Amino acid sequence: NQWYDERDLPPREAGNEFHPAWNELAVCRRLRRWQTAYWVFRHSAALRPQTRVRLLKSILDTARWLDDHNRANGFRGGNGQIGGCFDLLCGARMAPEFREADGWRQTALMWLLEHARRDFFPDGGFSERISGYGYGCVTALRWLRDMASDAGMLPRQARWLSARLRALYRWYL
């Protein structure tokens, strides 16, 4: 409960790219950890009711921030937006009961597919030319394909995304 008691509320205005707690990479990493913790402990007595509510509120605030940030700032090449959108998609899948979940899913899918198109060179290399970031982004796109296939989210793009992933993985081999 300490994070919830001491946290800064998410800034809603533009220009906070380097805020220590509310920048895209920090936010997506927090969201991933909170989603994982919730998923693991959701049926456990160790997750007290007050903590459950605060964890869900934190997930909701964080996903809202990521959605607002991505809608307001458009395409931004690199690993930050890919990580943020992938975790936003996971949030939409994990908590479809949130009113905004469908919008999160749409935002995340739109930008992740755009990254698959624009953020990798024709030879499959990642735009940042840092193999660790690039491989992590390729992995996020593979998980996107797998998750989308399981949920029937990308019927038109599934074949294209699979072919694109083969080219991206070839670059790393």
Side-chain angles (χ1 to χ4, degrees), residues 43-86:
H43 299 300
S44 170
L47 186 60
R48 297 186 327 253
Q50 179 188 27
T51 304
R52 176 185 305 276
V53 168
R54 288 177 165 189
L55 185 56
L56 287 169
K57 284 181 177 181
S58 295
I59 289 169
L60 182 60
D61 283 346
T62 304
R64 283 177 174 161
W65 186 92
L66 277 171
D67 188 52
D68 290 347
H69 183 71
N70 279 288
R71 289 175 188 259
N73 293 293
F75 179 84
R76 294 168 319 284
N79 71 88
Q81 187 174 32
I82 292 173
C85 285
F86 181 75

